[in-house]
Amino acid sequence: EAGVTQSPTHLIKTRGQQATLRCSPISGHTSVYWYQQALGLGLQFLLWYDEGEERNRGNFPPRFSGRQFPNYSSELNVNALELEDSALYLCASSLGTSGGDNEQFFGPGTRLTVL
Amino acid sequence: GDSVTQMEGPVTLSEEAFLTINCTYTATGYPSLFWYVQYPGEGLQLLLKATKADDKGSNKGFEATYRKETTSFHLEKGSVQVSDSAVYFCALSDPYQGAQKLVFGQGTRLTINP
């Protein structure tokens, strides 16, 4: 069974541009999560989508946005890129049940570099 | 809000040494607890988990016990190998907060020397 996939693997943009990152969850998973792993800042929760709806977002500005498609894949958009947006962006998926142990499975990540 | 505090790294050990990485948490509900591992250049992999007090998670020789009284979930391994070199993250999920997000500790970089 295929795991969580992310594309592209690497993305280089310049300040002020927009970046689009994509994620395909494990088959049967309805929840998708996005996390940012910036150097020295650990893993920070960005967004959670379930059944096509945004369910929760972390403490990030509105220029971080995304969506979930009917096939449960997801897109993360970062507008007006800033240098500090350079990070590894990790996508995870889960069965999306409320409660329970919420086991999340992670993709390999997209390395975004802003020049 | 919920938080996870992990032992500061980096940690360097010799092969076959005993490993402990401390992790404590604060949560308003009854969280599930996780240890994730990140090998160089890769994403996160779930190492083990525990969903209720006194549960012991184990995998690949690693163990951690959910201690509600001390709000801890320390990771242990009796004899580490060079291949265990990675960054280890303790995390919690508190569904009673109405959110499914994982809250991570800062990570502990482990290096095992032959």
Side-chain angles (χ1 to χ4, degrees):
Chain A
E1 180 182 307
V4 176
T5 59
Q6 292 186 244
S7 63
T9 304
H10 295 91
L11 189 57
I12 299 174
K13 295 286 187 179
T14 56
R15 198 167 45 184
Q17 287 188 315
Q18 178 196 37
T20 299
L21 289 64
R22 297 180 176 83
C23 172
S24 291
I26 290 172
S27 177
H29 286 188
T30 62
S31 275
V32 170
Y33 312 79
W34 289 95
Y35 294 86
Q36 183 195 64
Q37 187 176 22
L39 193 62
L41 294 178
L43 279 149
Q44 305 292 321
F45 167 74
L46 257 169
L47 289 160
W48 168 37
Y49 292 95
D50 184 60
E51 298 283 359
E53 300 285 332
E54 181 182 302
R55 301 296 184 182
N56 196 21
R57 66 181 293 128
N59 188 26
F60 282 84
R63 57 191 186 81
F64 286 83
S65 65
R67 54 181 170 165
Q68 186 178 34
F69 299 98
N71 67 354
Y72 303 113
S73 66
S74 176
E75 206 171 76
L76 173 69
N77 295 295
V78 188
N79 294 319
L81 285 165
E82 300 180 2
L83 296 178
E84 54 264 34
D85 297 333
S86 295
L88 180 67
Y89 289 84
L90 293 171
C91 172
S93 73
S94 77
L95 288 171
T97 56
S98 59
D101 66 20
N102 186 34
E103 182 170 343
Q104 296 182 21
F105 295 81
F106 284 79
T110 292
R111 172 75 61 186
L112 172 64
T113 302
V114 182
L115 302 176
Chain B
D2 296 349
S3 67
V4 175
T5 302
Q6 250 182 271
M7 176 177 169
E8 291 282 338
V11 174
T12 302
L13 296 171
S14 298
E15 205 165 21
E16 299 183 1
F18 184 85
L19 168 71
T20 300
I21 300 178
N22 290 335
C23 171
T24 57
Y25 68 90
T26 58
T28 53
Y30 299 92
S32 295
L33 301 174
F34 307 84
W35 276 101
Y36 281 85
V37 59
Q38 187 175 33
Y39 296 103
E42 299 184 13
L44 292 177
Q45 298 177 26
L46 178 66
L47 182 58
L48 52 84
K49 66 180 182 182
T51 59
K52 61 183 187 297
D54 299 326
D55 267 3
K56 178 186 281 189
S58 61
N59 186 26
K60 298 182 181 179
F62 290 90
E63 291 184 341
T65 301
Y66 190 142
R67 301 285 188 202
K68 187 169 180 292
E69 64 276 13
T70 55
T71 62
S72 65
F73 193 55
H74 304 322
L75 182 69
E76 296 182 335
K77 186 175 185 182
S79 177
V80 292
Q81 306 300 313
V82 172
S83 57
D84 293 327
S85 297
V87 181
Y88 292 81
F89 292 92
C90 185
L92 69 80
S93 173
D94 190 355
Y96 291 93
Q97 289 292 304
Q100 297 279 316
K101 66 180 183 182
L102 285 168
V103 176
F104 287 91
Q106 283 296 100
T108 301
R109 182 175 299 278
L110 173 67
T111 301
I112 307 300
N113 294 319

